[in-house]
Amino acid sequence: MALDWGILHWIQNNIVHPFLDIVVPKLTMLGNAGIIWIIAGVLLLCTKKYRRQGTLVLMGLLAGFLIGNVLLKQLVARLRPCWLDPSVQLLITTPTDYSFPSGHTLSSTIAATILTKTDKRFGYIAIPLAVLIALSRLYLYVHFPSDVFAAALLGLLIGELTFRCGGKLLDKIPHNKKQ
């Protein structure tokens, strides 16, 4: 826990900048409820060429929500740094759910993993965006580094399993054929 606090305080003392105070809340907003990844999944789903990728992304996000937000957050019930140390003025509304794991990081990592595994070109955008969203949670003082790190590892696992198992499941679904 000391390492978590040390990293958060280092960010507050060395990286915080008025420009970032404007940009980072907007960046983190993209990850609210996984919205940017849900939109990406739905858009991919709407195209015949990328329907499989869209389906896998949405499957992965659903698994991440159930495992991370419904199960782990309630089970671990870890308080957020901003709740424990209100001395840092938040740039966003104070979150009301528990801290572990970071939902923003989890959904971002799941989506970036699946998108990259299905088409490396998607990864050129998805990976940097996922990293920036994850780091935004530390800058904004709403997650401990261990929340973000654990969510990234869990997201890689869920993304990989969704790609493998979800892909096999999709392969078993008969496709509609034109008569």
Side-chain angles (χ1 to χ4, degrees):
M1 199 63 168
L3 181 60
D4 274 335
W5 283 113
I7 293 169
L8 286 178
H9 290 141
W10 183 85
I11 291 169
Q12 291 301 307
N13 294 329
N14 296 289
I15 297 179
V16 169
H17 185 274
F19 174 75
L20 292 175
D21 287 354
I22 295 168
V23 173
V24 173
K26 290 171 179 48
L27 180 63
T28 212
M29 220 169 39
L30 295 173
N32 288 355
I35 193 66
I36 190 70
W37 308 114
I38 292 170
I39 291 170
V42 169
L43 290 174
L44 291 169
L45 197 61
C46 292
T47 67
K48 188 173 183 177
K49 183 177 181 180
Y50 296 113
R51 188 164 293 138
R52 179 183 187 84
Q53 286 93 330
T55 303
L56 289 172
V57 167
L58 295 174
M59 287 170 63
L61 292 174
L62 178 59
F65 172 75
L66 294 173
I67 294 167
N69 289 55
V70 174
L71 180 67
L72 289 176
K73 278 190 187 272
Q74 304 312 313
L75 194 62
V76 176
R78 185 180 197 186
L79 302 180
R80 290 179 178 269
C82 58
W83 298 351
L84 297 169
D85 176 13
S87 68
V88 174
Q89 184 177 353
L90 294 186
L91 303 172
I92 60 172
T93 305
T94 304
T96 56
D97 61 340
Y98 290 116
S99 190
F100 183 91
S102 166
H104 283 69
T105 304
L106 182 60
S107 63
S108 296
T109 306
I110 290 168
T113 300
I114 293 168
L115 289 170
T116 302
K117 292 195 71 74
T118 58
D119 188 331
K120 290 197 185 320
R121 295 172 297 174
F122 289 141
Y124 297 136
I125 296 169
I127 292 171
L129 182 57
V131 169
L132 289 172
I133 289 172
L135 293 175
S136 76
R137 307 307 285 167
L138 301 177
Y139 183 92
L140 294 169
Y141 209 69
V142 293
H143 278 291
F144 289 104
S146 55
D147 299 335
V148 170
F149 182 71
L153 290 178
L154 182 59
L156 285 168
L157 178 65
I158 292 171
E160 180 67 30
L161 289 173
T162 301
F163 174 75
R164 289 182 187 202
C165 301
K168 288 179 184 175
L169 180 66
L170 290 178
D171 290 340
K172 292 181 181 180
I173 298 172
H175 299 283
N176 292 331
K177 295 180 181 172
K178 292 183 181 180
Q179 303 274 341

Short mmCIF file of all heavy atoms in Angstrom, two decimals, residues 68-103:
data_model
loop_
_atom_site.label_atom_id
_atom_site.label_comp_id
_atom_site.label_asym_id
_atom_site.label_seq_id
_atom_site.Cartn_x
_atom_site.Cartn_y
_atom_site.Cartn_z
N GLY A 68 -15.49 -7.89 -13.07
CA GLY A 68 -14.86 -6.76 -12.40
C GLY A 68 -15.80 -5.94 -11.55
O GLY A 68 -15.59 -5.77 -10.35
N ASN A 69 -16.86 -5.43 -12.19
CA ASN A 69 -17.75 -4.50 -11.49
C ASN A 69 -18.76 -5.19 -10.59
O ASN A 69 -19.02 -4.73 -9.48
CB ASN A 69 -18.46 -3.60 -12.50
CG ASN A 69 -17.52 -2.61 -13.12
OD1 ASN A 69 -16.49 -2.98 -13.68
ND2 ASN A 69 -17.83 -1.34 -13.00
N VAL A 70 -19.35 -6.27 -11.06
CA VAL A 70 -20.38 -6.92 -10.26
C VAL A 70 -19.77 -7.80 -9.17
O VAL A 70 -20.20 -7.75 -8.03
CB VAL A 70 -21.34 -7.75 -11.17
CG1 VAL A 70 -22.32 -8.56 -10.34
CG2 VAL A 70 -22.07 -6.84 -12.15
N LEU A 71 -18.73 -8.56 -9.51
CA LEU A 71 -18.16 -9.50 -8.54
C LEU A 71 -17.02 -8.90 -7.72
O LEU A 71 -17.12 -8.75 -6.50
CB LEU A 71 -17.69 -10.77 -9.27
CG LEU A 71 -17.07 -11.85 -8.39
CD1 LEU A 71 -18.10 -12.44 -7.45
CD2 LEU A 71 -16.45 -12.93 -9.25
N LEU A 72 -15.90 -8.57 -8.38
CA LEU A 72 -14.69 -8.19 -7.64
C LEU A 72 -14.82 -6.89 -6.85
O LEU A 72 -14.35 -6.80 -5.72
CB LEU A 72 -13.49 -8.11 -8.59
CG LEU A 72 -12.99 -9.45 -9.10
CD1 LEU A 72 -11.86 -9.25 -10.10
CD2 LEU A 72 -12.52 -10.32 -7.94
N LYS A 73 -15.42 -5.87 -7.44
CA LYS A 73 -15.55 -4.60 -6.69
C LYS A 73 -16.31 -4.81 -5.38
O LYS A 73 -15.93 -4.27 -4.34
CB LYS A 73 -16.25 -3.53 -7.54
CG LYS A 73 -15.32 -2.84 -8.50
CD LYS A 73 -16.00 -1.63 -9.13
CE LYS A 73 -15.15 -1.03 -10.22
NZ LYS A 73 -14.20 -0.04 -9.74
N GLN A 74 -17.36 -5.62 -5.42
CA GLN A 74 -18.16 -5.87 -4.22
C GLN A 74 -17.42 -6.80 -3.24
O GLN A 74 -17.50 -6.63 -2.03
CB GLN A 74 -19.51 -6.47 -4.59
CG GLN A 74 -20.31 -5.63 -5.56
CD GLN A 74 -20.40 -4.17 -5.17
OE1 GLN A 74 -20.69 -3.83 -4.03
NE2 GLN A 74 -20.13 -3.28 -6.12
N LEU A 75 -16.72 -7.76 -3.79
CA LEU A 75 -16.01 -8.74 -2.96
C LEU A 75 -14.82 -8.09 -2.23
O LEU A 75 -14.64 -8.28 -1.03
CB LEU A 75 -15.52 -9.88 -3.85
CG LEU A 75 -15.04 -11.15 -3.19
CD1 LEU A 75 -16.16 -11.81 -2.41
CD2 LEU A 75 -14.52 -12.11 -4.25
N VAL A 76 -14.03 -7.31 -2.95
CA VAL A 76 -12.84 -6.68 -2.37
C VAL A 76 -13.22 -5.43 -1.57
O VAL A 76 -12.67 -5.17 -0.50
CB VAL A 76 -11.80 -6.34 -3.47
CG1 VAL A 76 -10.61 -5.59 -2.89
CG2 VAL A 76 -11.36 -7.61 -4.18
N ALA A 77 -14.16 -4.65 -2.08
CA ALA A 77 -14.67 -3.44 -1.40
C ALA A 77 -13.54 -2.50 -0.97
O ALA A 77 -13.52 -2.00 0.16
CB ALA A 77 -15.56 -3.82 -0.22
N ARG A 78 -12.62 -2.26 -1.86
CA ARG A 78 -11.48 -1.38 -1.56
C ARG A 78 -11.89 0.09 -1.71
O ARG A 78 -12.45 0.48 -2.72
CB ARG A 78 -10.33 -1.69 -2.50
CG ARG A 78 -9.07 -0.92 -2.16
CD ARG A 78 -7.97 -1.26 -3.13
NE ARG A 78 -6.67 -0.87 -2.61
CZ ARG A 78 -5.56 -0.96 -3.31
NH1 ARG A 78 -5.57 -1.45 -4.53
NH2 ARG A 78 -4.42 -0.59 -2.78
N LEU A 79 -11.57 0.87 -0.71
CA LEU A 79 -11.86 2.30 -0.75
C LEU A 79 -10.94 2.99 -1.75
O LEU A 79 -9.79 2.58 -1.94
CB LEU A 79 -11.71 2.91 0.64
CG LEU A 79 -12.59 2.31 1.74
CD1 LEU A 79 -12.33 3.02 3.06
CD2 LEU A 79 -14.06 2.36 1.37
N ARG A 80 -11.42 4.05 -2.33
CA ARG A 80 -10.64 4.80 -3.32
C ARG A 80 -9.69 5.77 -2.62
O ARG A 80 -9.97 6.24 -1.52
CB ARG A 80 -11.58 5.60 -4.23
CG ARG A 80 -12.38 4.72 -5.17
CD ARG A 80 -13.31 5.56 -6.02
NE ARG A 80 -14.05 4.72 -6.95
CZ ARG A 80 -13.65 4.43 -8.17
NH1 ARG A 80 -12.52 4.91 -8.63
NH2 ARG A 80 -14.38 3.66 -8.95
N PRO A 81 -8.57 6.10 -3.30
CA PRO A 81 -7.63 7.04 -2.69
C PRO A 81 -8.27 8.40 -2.40
O PRO A 81 -7.98 9.01 -1.36
CB PRO A 81 -6.50 7.16 -3.72
CG PRO A 81 -6.99 6.54 -4.96
CD PRO A 81 -8.10 5.61 -4.60
N CYS A 82 -9.16 8.84 -3.27
CA CYS A 82 -9.81 10.14 -3.05
C CYS A 82 -10.76 10.12 -1.86
O CYS A 82 -11.05 11.18 -1.29
CB CYS A 82 -10.53 10.60 -4.32
SG CYS A 82 -11.79 9.45 -4.92
N TRP A 83 -11.23 8.96 -1.46
CA TRP A 83 -12.06 8.85 -0.26
C TRP A 83 -11.20 8.87 0.99
O TRP A 83 -11.60 9.42 2.01
CB TRP A 83 -12.87 7.56 -0.25
CG TRP A 83 -13.85 7.38 -1.36
CD1 TRP A 83 -14.24 8.31 -2.30
CD2 TRP A 83 -14.57 6.20 -1.66
NE1 TRP A 83 -15.16 7.75 -3.16
CE2 TRP A 83 -15.37 6.46 -2.79
CE3 TRP A 83 -14.60 4.92 -1.11
CZ2 TRP A 83 -16.22 5.50 -3.35
CZ3 TRP A 83 -15.43 3.97 -1.67
CH2 TRP A 83 -16.24 4.26 -2.78
N LEU A 84 -10.03 8.25 0.90
CA LEU A 84 -9.13 8.13 2.05
C LEU A 84 -8.31 9.39 2.28
O LEU A 84 -7.91 9.67 3.41
CB LEU A 84 -8.20 6.92 1.86
CG LEU A 84 -8.90 5.57 1.78
CD1 LEU A 84 -7.93 4.49 1.33
CD2 LEU A 84 -9.51 5.22 3.14
N ASP A 85 -8.03 10.11 1.20
CA ASP A 85 -7.23 11.34 1.28
C ASP A 85 -7.92 12.44 0.48
O ASP A 85 -7.63 12.62 -0.70
CB ASP A 85 -5.82 11.09 0.74
CG ASP A 85 -4.97 12.34 0.71
OD1 ASP A 85 -5.35 13.36 1.32
OD2 ASP A 85 -3.91 12.32 0.05
N PRO A 86 -8.83 13.16 1.11
CA PRO A 86 -9.58 14.19 0.39
C PRO A 86 -8.79 15.49 0.17
O PRO A 86 -9.35 16.48 -0.30
CB PRO A 86 -10.80 14.42 1.29
CG PRO A 86 -10.35 14.04 2.66
CD PRO A 86 -9.30 12.97 2.47
N SER A 87 -7.50 15.48 0.46
CA SER A 87 -6.70 16.70 0.30
C SER A 87 -6.47 17.06 -1.17
O SER A 87 -6.17 18.20 -1.48
CB SER A 87 -5.35 16.55 1.02
OG SER A 87 -4.54 15.58 0.36
N VAL A 88 -6.59 16.09 -2.07
CA VAL A 88 -6.41 16.35 -3.50
C VAL A 88 -7.76 16.73 -4.09
O VAL A 88 -8.73 15.97 -3.98
CB VAL A 88 -5.83 15.12 -4.23
CG1 VAL A 88 -5.78 15.34 -5.73
CG2 VAL A 88 -4.45 14.79 -3.69
N GLN A 89 -7.82 17.91 -4.69
CA GLN A 89 -9.07 18.35 -5.31
C GLN A 89 -9.30 17.57 -6.61
O GLN A 89 -8.45 17.57 -7.49
CB GLN A 89 -9.03 19.84 -5.61
CG GLN A 89 -10.34 20.36 -6.16
CD GLN A 89 -10.32 21.86 -6.38
OE1 GLN A 89 -9.38 22.55 -6.00
NE2 GLN A 89 -11.36 22.36 -7.00
N LEU A 90 -10.45 16.91 -6.68
CA LEU A 90 -10.74 16.10 -7.85
C LEU A 90 -11.18 16.97 -9.03
O LEU A 90 -11.85 17.99 -8.84
CB LEU A 90 -11.83 15.07 -7.54
CG LEU A 90 -11.48 13.99 -6.54
CD1 LEU A 90 -12.60 12.96 -6.45
CD2 LEU A 90 -10.18 13.30 -6.89
N LEU A 91 -10.81 16.52 -10.21
CA LEU A 91 -11.16 17.22 -11.45
C LEU A 91 -12.41 16.61 -12.09
O LEU A 91 -12.89 17.11 -13.11
CB LEU A 91 -9.99 17.16 -12.44
CG LEU A 91 -8.68 17.74 -11.93
CD1 LEU A 91 -7.55 17.44 -12.91
CD2 LEU A 91 -8.81 19.23 -11.69
N ILE A 92 -12.89 15.52 -11.50
CA ILE A 92 -14.10 14.85 -11.96
C ILE A 92 -15.00 14.62 -10.75
O ILE A 92 -14.57 14.80 -9.61
CB ILE A 92 -13.80 13.50 -12.65
CG1 ILE A 92 -13.07 12.55 -11.69
CG2 ILE A 92 -12.99 13.72 -13.93
CD1 ILE A 92 -12.91 11.13 -12.22
N THR A 93 -16.22 14.21 -11.00
CA THR A 93 -17.14 13.87 -9.92
C THR A 93 -16.58 12.69 -9.14
O THR A 93 -16.07 11.74 -9.73
CB THR A 93 -18.52 13.52 -10.49
OG1 THR A 93 -18.98 14.59 -11.29
CG2 THR A 93 -19.53 13.25 -9.39
N THR A 94 -16.70 12.75 -7.84
CA THR A 94 -16.20 11.66 -7.00
C THR A 94 -16.94 10.37 -7.33
O THR A 94 -18.16 10.32 -7.27
CB THR A 94 -16.40 11.99 -5.50
OG1 THR A 94 -15.76 13.23 -5.22
CG2 THR A 94 -15.83 10.90 -4.61
N PRO A 95 -16.20 9.33 -7.69
CA PRO A 95 -16.84 8.03 -7.99
C PRO A 95 -17.53 7.48 -6.75
O PRO A 95 -17.09 7.71 -5.62
CB PRO A 95 -15.69 7.13 -8.41
CG PRO A 95 -14.58 8.06 -8.80
CD PRO A 95 -14.75 9.27 -7.93
N THR A 96 -18.59 6.72 -6.96
CA THR A 96 -19.36 6.19 -5.83
C THR A 96 -19.18 4.69 -5.64
O THR A 96 -19.63 4.15 -4.64
CB THR A 96 -20.87 6.48 -6.02
OG1 THR A 96 -21.29 5.93 -7.28
CG2 THR A 96 -21.14 7.98 -6.01
N ASP A 97 -18.53 4.02 -6.60
CA ASP A 97 -18.31 2.58 -6.44
C ASP A 97 -16.90 2.34 -5.91
O ASP A 97 -16.09 3.25 -5.83
CB ASP A 97 -18.56 1.83 -7.75
CG ASP A 97 -17.64 2.28 -8.88
OD1 ASP A 97 -17.07 3.38 -8.81
OD2 ASP A 97 -17.50 1.51 -9.86
N TYR A 98 -16.63 1.10 -5.56
CA TYR A 98 -15.33 0.75 -5.00
C TYR A 98 -14.21 0.86 -6.04
O TYR A 98 -14.46 0.96 -7.23
CB TYR A 98 -15.36 -0.65 -4.40
CG TYR A 98 -16.19 -0.74 -3.14
CD1 TYR A 98 -17.34 -1.52 -3.10
CD2 TYR A 98 -15.82 -0.05 -1.99
CE1 TYR A 98 -18.10 -1.61 -1.94
CE2 TYR A 98 -16.58 -0.13 -0.83
CZ TYR A 98 -17.72 -0.91 -0.81
OH TYR A 98 -18.46 -1.00 0.33
N SER A 99 -12.99 0.79 -5.56
CA SER A 99 -11.80 1.07 -6.35
C SER A 99 -11.23 -0.12 -7.12
O SER A 99 -10.72 0.05 -8.21
CB SER A 99 -10.72 1.63 -5.42
OG SER A 99 -9.64 2.14 -6.13
N PHE A 100 -11.30 -1.32 -6.55
CA PHE A 100 -10.60 -2.47 -7.13
C PHE A 100 -11.56 -3.43 -7.80
O PHE A 100 -12.50 -3.89 -7.16
CB PHE A 100 -9.84 -3.22 -6.03
CG PHE A 100 -9.04 -4.38 -6.54
CD1 PHE A 100 -7.72 -4.19 -6.91
CD2 PHE A 100 -9.59 -5.64 -6.67
CE1 PHE A 100 -6.96 -5.26 -7.39
CE2 PHE A 100 -8.85 -6.70 -7.15
CZ PHE A 100 -7.53 -6.51 -7.51
N PRO A 101 -11.30 -3.75 -9.06
CA PRO A 101 -10.30 -3.25 -9.99
C PRO A 101 -10.82 -2.03 -10.74
O PRO A 101 -12.02 -1.74 -10.71
CB PRO A 101 -10.11 -4.43 -10.96
CG PRO A 101 -11.48 -5.06 -11.03
CD PRO A 101 -12.06 -4.89 -9.63
N SER A 102 -9.94 -1.34 -11.42
CA SER A 102 -10.34 -0.18 -12.22
C SER A 102 -11.18 -0.63 -13.41
O SER A 102 -10.69 -1.34 -14.29
CB SER A 102 -9.10 0.56 -12.72
OG SER A 102 -9.45 1.47 -13.74
N GLY A 103 -12.43 -0.23 -13.42
CA GLY A 103 -13.32 -0.59 -14.52
C GLY A 103 -12.90 0.03 -15.85
O GLY A 103 -13.01 -0.60 -16.90
#
